[in-house]
């Protein structure tokens, strides 16, 4: 089960979620935000539990969240400007 995972597996899980959130930002920014939040929550809880440093994992997740938000906003701006040209 999830709770029987060792520390390395937990670190790897939050690391991979952070990387996925960054990659997803360029195709599916909403998913990027979800993966980033999930990775951040996991990194935070694992750090509390183990006392280990999860700085890299947190940075990757935050970067994924920020990219997801920025790219989503840009897509909205582009969409709105395209729609406003139609009229």
């Amino acid at each position: 089960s999830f709770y029987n995972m060792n520390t390395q597996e937990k670190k790897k899980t939050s690391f991979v979620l952070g990387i996925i959130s960054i990659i997803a930002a360029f195709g599916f920014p909403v998913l990027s935000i979800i993966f980033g939040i999930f990775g951040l929550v996991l990194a935070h809880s694992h750090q509390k539990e183990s006392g280990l440093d999860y700085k890299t994992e947190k940075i990757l997740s935050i970067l994924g969240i920020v990219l997801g938000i920025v790219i989503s906003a840009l897509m909205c701006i582009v969409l709105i400007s395209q729609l406003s040209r139609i009229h």
Side-chain angles (χ1 to χ4, degrees), residues 1 15 18 25 29 31-33 40 58 65 69 74 77 79 81 87:
S1 84
F15 183 83
L31 273 180
S32 167
I33 297 165
L40 191 59
K58 287 181 176 182
I65 294 167
I69 292 169
L74 287 173
I77 291 167
L79 186 66
S81 70
H87 300 294

Side-chain angles (χ1 to χ4, degrees), residues 34-49:
I34 295 166
F35 280 122
I37 291 170
F38 195 54
L40 191 59
V41 168
L42 279 182
H44 184 71
S45 67
H46 295 332
Q47 183 173 341
K48 270 184 145 172
E49 178 186 298

Side-chain angles (χ1 to χ4, degrees), residues 12-64:
K12 194 191 229 172
T13 302
S14 46
F15 183 83
V16 169
L17 281 169
I19 296 290
I20 289 172
S21 73
I22 292 169
I23 295 168
F26 298 99
F28 307 97
V30 174
L31 273 180
S32 167
I33 297 165
I34 295 166
F35 280 122
I37 291 170
F38 195 54
L40 191 59
V41 168
L42 279 182
H44 184 71
S45 67
H46 295 332
Q47 183 173 341
K48 270 184 145 172
E49 178 186 298
S50 68
L52 294 174
D53 182 29
Y54 276 78
K55 188 181 277 182
T56 305
E57 291 77 5
K58 287 181 176 182
I59 290 170
L60 289 171
S61 293
I62 291 168
L63 188 59

